């Protein structure tokens, strides 16, 4: 009787194991669908499906051969990938980076290993790249870059830039604004994709010279005669003033101020510097 | 016989006319309302544009009722997605090569940067950021002069740089940028040098100063008068000088 009972229990266990083993490949097949046909670092996405971070990490390791260390308990969750019916090819690294980004996480290389950090801590370990390297960096990689400023002051630019940085982990620090103003550089940390657009905007804002200096030698008029009129014309309310210095020894004028205003005064000088009868 | 022929012809024409009328009526009839979910709008755009969307499915739910014809082109589908997302305080943006849907408050941190010159070529509903350098006015001047946008687009807080960062739908950004450019242009300061023909410049300069508007300056050099200020003020003073110097 006991032997029959043992046999029945044994068969039940075998049946259960069989069910589990047959169920596992089926579920894997289902999850394979959105990341099918992986080739090298590129995957083909089709339709829409939830994909777990764990699966993406596994695919990334297989595709890149990189070493990864992480705590699976801290890196959990699904993300919905929605690809067009016609399919789309994506880099597995870009896919992983953007998926981790949804959970405010990022992939950072420390020594030989990659690890997964909260984006809030990313600036402490992010790779520093030059502006040239930034152009080639994968969009989702967290990096730091130095942006030298030519015309704008670092603190002033920071005020505008910090509203463009990622809410989690984006960092913008001016260097050399007070103690060493000559440095006048911004240190930016964020995903390479975001930094590319932020740097483009900074460069456009910084392209307009705030101040310029022009030296003019007069041919007919004396500088001391026209200097008061220029100083008056250079202090029009609502406009930044132009500093006008006269050098009587060489009959020259030195004008410093906003480029538009200096150019306006240069035309005034040309009009005044004429032969008098 | 002729009467019978006419009657037969009329009988044949009647159904044709009735069909044509029905067709016209059908054409003029308003399109039935459509219920569109966020997912449907997103799918339509993804299939048309070939983009890959990435988001949390559970937190991306909801539907709205839309009137009018269903979108057919890629741009129309993008516009419909933008409008549907807008009802939920969301914005679809392409970031890092993926289509993502973010809260409107965060849109400026991920929206594509589009130079002002390229704005007319971007689909009108796409969320973008543009930079417009300022020559004559400050960020604060612009903020005070611009009408409220109702939260659909806006200026990024940047009072200390010589330019403005405008974010919103490309169509709105283009409109705002053009308005700001006009404000900046109107504030341009000019200088005019006018040679006196009959009067001595030194005699007339004080009278001109007295009548000059605020922010306008007048100076005399030899027999010439230098007037500087806003275009309208300078033109007015130049006209007064011409009147006095007859």
């Amino acid at each position: 009787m006991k032997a029959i009972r043992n046999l029945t229990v044994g068969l039940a266990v075998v049946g259960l194991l069989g069910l589990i083993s047959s169920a596992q490949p089926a579920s894997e097949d289902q999850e394979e669908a959105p990341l099918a046909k992986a080739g090298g670092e590129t995957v083909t996405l089709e339709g829409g499906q939830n994909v777990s971070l764990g699966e993406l990490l596994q695919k990334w390791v297989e595709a890149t051969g990189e070493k990864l260390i992480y705590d699976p308990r801290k890196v959990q969750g699904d993300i919905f990938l929605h690809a067009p019916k016609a399919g789309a090819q994506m880099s597995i690294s870009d896919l992983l980076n953007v998926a981790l980004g949804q959970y405010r996480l990022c992939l950072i290389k420390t020594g030989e290993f990659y690890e997964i950090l909260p984006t809030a801590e990313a600036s402490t370990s992010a790779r520093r790249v030059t502006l040239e390297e930034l152009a080639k960096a994968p969009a989702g990689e967290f990096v730091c870059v130095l942006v030298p400023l030519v015309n704008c002051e670092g603190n002033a630019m920071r005020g505008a830039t910090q509203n463009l940085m990622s809410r989690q982990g984006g960092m913008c620090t001016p260097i050399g604004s007070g103690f060493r103003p000559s440095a006048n550089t911004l240190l930016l940390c964020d995903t390479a994709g975001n930094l590319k657009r932020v740097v483009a905007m900074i460069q456009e804002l910084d392209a307009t010279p705030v101040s310029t200096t022009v030296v003019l030698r007069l041919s007919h008029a004396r500088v001391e005669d026209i200097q008061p009129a220029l100083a008056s014309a250079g202090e029009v309310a609502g406009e930044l003033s132009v500093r006008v210095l006269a050098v009587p020894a060489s009959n020259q004028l030195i004008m410093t101020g906003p480029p538009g205003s200096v150019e306006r005064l240069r035309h005034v000088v040309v009009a005044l510097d004429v032969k008098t009868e | 016989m002729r009467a019978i022929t006419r009657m037969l012809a009329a009988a044949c024409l009647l159904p044709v006319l009735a069909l044509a009328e029905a067709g016209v009526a059908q054409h003029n009839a308003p399109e039935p309302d459509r219920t569109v979910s966020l997912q449907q709008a997103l799918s339509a755009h993804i299939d048309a544009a070939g983009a890959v969307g990435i988001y949390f499915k559970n937190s991306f739910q909801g539907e709205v009722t839309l009137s009018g014809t269903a979108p057919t082109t890629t741009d129309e589908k993008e516009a419909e997605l933008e409008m549907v997302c807008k009802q939920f305080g969301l914005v679809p943006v392409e970031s890092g090569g993926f289509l993502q849907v973010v809260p409107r408050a965060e849109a400026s941190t991920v929206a594509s940067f589009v130079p002002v010159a390229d704005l007319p070529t971007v689909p009108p509903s796409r969320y973008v950021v543009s930079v417009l350098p300022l020559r004559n006015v400050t960020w604060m001047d612009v903020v005070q002069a611009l009408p409220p946008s109702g939260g659909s687009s806006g200026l990024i807080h940047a009072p200390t740089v010589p330019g403005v960062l405008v974010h919103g739908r490309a169509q709105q950004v283009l409109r705002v940028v053009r308005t700001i450019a006009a404000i900046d242009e109107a504030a341009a300061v000019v200088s005019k040098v006018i040679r006196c023909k009959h009067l001595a410049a030194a005699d007339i300069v004080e009278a001109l100063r007295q009548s000059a508007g605020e922010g306008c300056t007048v100076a005399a050099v030899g027999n010439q008068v230098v007037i500087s200020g806003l275009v309208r003020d300078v033109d007015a003073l130049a006209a007064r000088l011409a009147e006095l110097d007859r």
Side-chain angles (χ1 to χ4, degrees), chain A residues 47-234:
Chain A
Q49 194 154 343
N50 265 323
V51 181
S52 72
L53 289 181
E55 189 196 351
L56 280 174
L57 285 167
Q58 192 187 334
K59 291 272 181 197
W60 178 80
V61 169
E62 283 168 14
T64 60
E66 297 284 0
K67 295 175 183 171
L68 174 69
I69 185 161
Y70 71 102
D71 183 348
R73 290 169 303 175
K74 292 179 184 169
V75 185
Q76 285 184 342
D78 289 348
I79 193 75
F80 192 75
L81 291 175
H82 198 151
K85 283 173 194 158
Q89 288 207 324
M90 302 299 301
S91 146
I92 183 71
S93 294
D94 286 347
L95 190 55
L96 178 61
N97 275 318
V98 78
L100 288 171
Q102 303 296 311
Y103 285 90
R104 311 287 194 200
L105 297 170
C106 65
L107 204 56
I108 296 274
K109 193 168 188 179
T110 314
E112 279 190 21
F113 284 88
Y114 274 88
E115 56 182 332
I116 294 166
L117 295 178
T119 49
E121 291 174 25
S123 63
T124 60
S125 318
R127 179 167 73 101
R128 196 177 81 73
V129 295
T130 63
L131 286 171
E132 290 75 28
E133 288 165 341
L134 175 66
K136 295 171 199 159
E141 186 187 353
F142 232 91
V143 293
C144 290
V145 67
L146 288 167
V147 184
L149 300 175
V150 180
N151 295 304
C152 287
E153 200 266 321
N155 260 321
M157 191 62 89
R158 177 204 201 174
T161 308
Q162 64 189 8
N163 296 306
L164 302 166
M165 308 298 286
S166 297
R167 289 277 187 268
Q168 289 270 332
M171 192 187 80
C172 171
T173 313
I175 300 170
S177 290
F179 181 66
R180 195 168 163 236
S182 58
N184 202 27
T185 299
L186 284 179
L187 170 64
L188 305 176
C189 289
D190 207 324
T191 59
N194 200 28
L195 284 183
K196 282 173 200 171
R197 75 181 191 111
V198 171
V199 168
M201 283 187 261
I202 288 174
Q203 287 172 339
E204 187 151 342
L205 281 170
D206 193 41
T208 312
V210 174
S211 179
T212 186
T213 298
V214 166
V215 180
L216 292 172
R217 185 187 294 276
L218 304 194
S219 305
H220 308 290
R222 292 193 312 160
V223 288
E224 52 268 47
D225 291 342
I226 69 168
Q227 195 259 353
L230 289 175
S232 148

Side-chain angles (χ1 to χ4, degrees), chain A residues 45 50 78-91 94-95 98-99 102-104 139-140 152-153 155-167 193-194 197 200-202 204-205 208 210 225-226 228-230 232-239 264-265 267-269 271-276, chain B residues 39 42-43 46-58 95-98 100-101 105-113 115-116 129-136 141 156-165 188-193 195 209 214-221 224-226 228-230:
Chain A
L45 304 173
N50 265 323
D78 289 348
I79 193 75
F80 192 75
L81 291 175
H82 198 151
K85 283 173 194 158
Q89 288 207 324
M90 302 299 301
S91 146
D94 286 347
L95 190 55
V98 78
Q102 303 296 311
Y103 285 90
R104 311 287 194 200
C152 287
E153 200 266 321
N155 260 321
M157 191 62 89
R158 177 204 201 174
T161 308
Q162 64 189 8
N163 296 306
L164 302 166
M165 308 298 286
S166 297
R167 289 277 187 268
N194 200 28
R197 75 181 191 111
M201 283 187 261
I202 288 174
E204 187 151 342
L205 281 170
T208 312
V210 174
D225 291 342
I226 69 168
L230 289 175
S232 148
E235 284 176 2
V236 177
E239 194 185 59
R264 177 171 60 81
L265 290 197
H267 283 106
V268 173
V269 172
L272 293 174
D273 187 26
V274 289
K275 243 182 207 170
T276 48
Chain B
Q39 301 262 349
L42 192 66
S43 289
I46 281 172
D47 285 335
V52 175
I54 187 161
Y55 52 90
F56 297 113
K57 197 173 182 184
N58 292 339
S95 175
F98 290 85
Q100 298 183 46
V101 180
E106 281 183 30
S108 65
T109 66
V110 281
S112 307
F113 164 56
V116 170
V129 188
S130 285
V131 174
L132 180 72
L134 296 175
R135 285 175 298 161
N136 306 305
D141 295 330
I156 288 174
H157 187 81
T160 48
V161 290
V164 283
L165 295 140
V189 171
V190 295
S191 290
K192 264 189 182 174
V193 180
R195 182 175 292 278
R209 270 188 199 138
E214 200 180 334
C216 205
T217 65
V218 185
V221 180
Q224 297 181 104
V225 176
V226 182
S228 302
L230 296 178

Side-chain angles (χ1 to χ4, degrees), chain B:
Chain B
M1 185 64 186
R2 192 178 277 176
I4 293 168
T5 315
R6 276 184 194 157
M7 242 174 68
L8 277 173
C12 290
L13 272 176
L14 271 176
V16 176
L17 287 171
L19 272 175
E21 256 178 53
V24 170
Q26 201 171 13
H27 186 71
N28 288 338
E31 289 283 329
D33 288 351
R34 294 177 292 127
T35 301
V36 179
S37 70
L38 279 165
Q39 301 262 349
Q40 284 168 340
L42 192 66
S43 289
H45 172 60
I46 281 172
D47 285 335
V52 175
I54 187 161
Y55 52 90
F56 297 113
K57 197 173 182 184
N58 292 339
S59 56
F60 192 63
Q61 284 178 349
E63 55 186 31
V64 292
T65 302
L66 287 170
S67 300
T69 51
T72 49
T73 66
T74 306
D75 282 359
E76 284 172 358
K77 286 173 183 172
E78 186 176 344
E80 182 164 295
L81 173 63
E82 208 280 337
M83 283 309 294
V84 173
C85 285
K86 190 180 171 186
Q87 310 309 312
F88 297 92
L90 301 168
V91 177
V93 285
E94 199 170 321
S95 175
F98 290 85
L99 181 74
Q100 298 183 46
V101 180
V102 299
R104 189 160 283 267
E106 281 183 30
S108 65
T109 66
V110 281
S112 307
F113 164 56
V114 178
V116 170
D118 297 343
L119 276 174
T121 63
V122 175
S125 62
R126 186 167 296 168
Y127 209 91
V128 299
V129 188
S130 285
V131 174
L132 180 72
L134 296 175
R135 285 175 298 161
N136 306 305
V137 293
T138 63
W139 181 85
M140 193 55 82
D141 295 330
V142 172
V143 169
Q144 286 168 355
L146 275 185
S149 66
S152 51
S153 67
L155 301 182
I156 288 174
H157 187 81
T160 48
V161 290
V164 283
L165 295 140
V166 189
H167 65 100
R169 297 168 70 197
Q171 195 178 26
Q172 292 167 324
V173 170
L174 185 61
R175 200 174 58 233
V176 172
V177 159
R178 282 178 177 161
T179 308
I180 296 171
I183 292 168
D184 194 38
E185 192 62 38
V189 171
V190 295
S191 290
K192 264 189 182 174
V193 180
I194 303 166
R195 182 175 292 278
C196 294
K197 291 171 188 163
H198 308 291
L199 295 172
D203 294 341
I204 208 171
V205 76
E206 196 48 46
L208 287 173
R209 270 188 199 138
Q210 297 285 335
S211 60
E214 200 180 334
C216 205
T217 65
V218 185
V221 180
N223 209 31
Q224 297 181 104
V225 176
V226 182
I227 308 169
S228 302
L230 296 178
V231 177
R232 61 164 197 271
D233 295 340
V234 170
D235 286 348
L237 272 188
R240 199 156 300 152
L241 173 60
E243 217 169 89
L244 292 168
D245 190 31
R246 274 184 185 163

